[in-house]
Each structure stands twice: as structure tokens, then as C-alpha cells.
């Protein structure tokens, strides 16, 4: 692995990933430090931020550590990190949207029992999407760009 010169698109990806990581760290730390922020739906945002931090960590690492030609051992790992982070992060946004829709339609209904279903949906779909990635891994190409 070498640190190489980065094209403009990779530099933009690195900068936006760092900004996203800082935002996620701020959300996670404010959730931990401030007890009044631990109310529903902040837990959904916490999980989304954790998954986003996983995603951008993979982006940052794969942008900085560039494999030499023919050296693709780490691509399988970074593609898995990207898949888990991206799908889980977006799934938590979907769960937040569904939760908001339910609360708007029925404002006086306690929907805290749905949280276990949110977790089941997010982690099951993420695991199911990673299974083919693991099975059909050919370890070639860039994990970020998919080529």
C-alpha cells in the first residue's frame, strides 16, 4: 500500500467523508453527554450516525490507502465495510421516516414497541445483502467505486 496522489473526485470524497465523520461524532457525543437528548427518535439518529461513521471510515481509509496494481486483498474488507455502512445508514433513515409517518398519523399512540422491528429490519437486510458479497468475492477493483 502506498499513499498516492489523489484525483479531484477522490479528494472531494475524502473531504466530504471527513465532514460527515465529524458530524456523526458530534451527534454520538451529544447523545452520550446530554441525557435530555436520549429521547425517541434520537436513538434512531444515534444508530444512523454510528452506521454513517462506519461508512465514512471505510471511505477515508480506502481514499488514503491506495493499493498497488495487483494488490487487492483489502478490497474485500473495504467493500464489506462500505456495504454495511451504506445500507445500514440508509435503512436507519428509512426507519426514521416510517417512525415519523406513524407519529404524524397517530400522534397519541406509543410506537416504542416498533423499535425491535426497526432493528430487525436494518440488521437483517444488511446481513442478507452482505452474504452474496462474501460468497461472490473476486477481490478486484476499488471498493468505493465498485470497479
Amino acid at each position: 500500500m502506498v499513499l498516492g496522489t489523489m484525483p479531484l473526485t477522490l479528494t472531494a470524497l475524502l473531504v466530504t467523508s471527513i465532514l460527515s465523520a465529524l458530524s456523526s461524532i458530534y451527534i454520538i457525543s451529544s447523545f452520550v453527554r446530554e441525557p435530555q437528548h436520549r429521547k425517541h427518535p434520537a436513538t434512531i439518529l444515534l444508530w444512523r450516525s454510528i452506521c454513517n461513521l462506519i461508512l465514512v471510515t471505510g471511505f477515508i481509509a480506502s481514499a488514503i490507502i491506495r493499493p498497488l496494481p495487483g494488490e487487492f486483498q483489502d478490497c474485500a474488507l473495504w467493500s464489506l465495510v462500505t456495504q454495511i455502512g451504506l445500507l445500514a445508514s440508509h435503512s436507519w433513515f428509512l426507519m426514521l421516516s416510517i417512525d415519523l409517518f406513524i407519529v404524524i398519523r397517530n400522534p397519541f399512540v406509543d410506537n416504542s414497541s416498533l423499535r425491535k422491528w426497526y432493528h430487525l429490519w436494518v440488521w437483517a437486510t444488511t446481513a442478507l445483502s452482505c452474504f452474496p458479497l462474501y460468497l461472490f468475492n473476486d477481490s478486484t477493483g476499488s471498493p468505493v467505486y465498485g470497479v
Side-chain angles (χ1 to χ4, degrees), residues 2-88:
V2 296
L3 293 174
T5 60
M6 290 189 258
L8 184 60
T9 55
L10 199 56
T11 304
L13 179 68
L14 183 62
V15 169
T16 56
S17 295
I18 290 171
L19 291 174
S20 185
L22 292 174
S23 299
S24 295
I25 290 169
Y26 177 76
I27 291 171
I28 294 167
S29 65
S30 65
F31 185 88
V32 170
R33 285 181 297 148
E34 305 290 333
Q36 68 267 23
H37 293 315
R38 296 182 190 159
K39 298 176 186 171
H40 185 73
T43 53
I44 297 174
L45 288 174
L46 173 72
W47 282 106
R48 192 263 170 204
S49 297
I50 291 169
C51 294
N52 188 56
L53 194 58
I54 292 169
L55 172 66
V56 297
T57 301
F59 279 169
I60 292 168
S62 64
I64 292 174
I65 303 169
R66 306 291 296 167
L68 293 170
E71 201 179 282
F72 292 111
Q73 302 92 299
D74 295 335
C75 285
L77 171 68
W78 293 124
S79 62
L80 188 65
V81 168
T82 302
Q83 178 73 11
I84 290 170
L86 190 63
L87 186 60

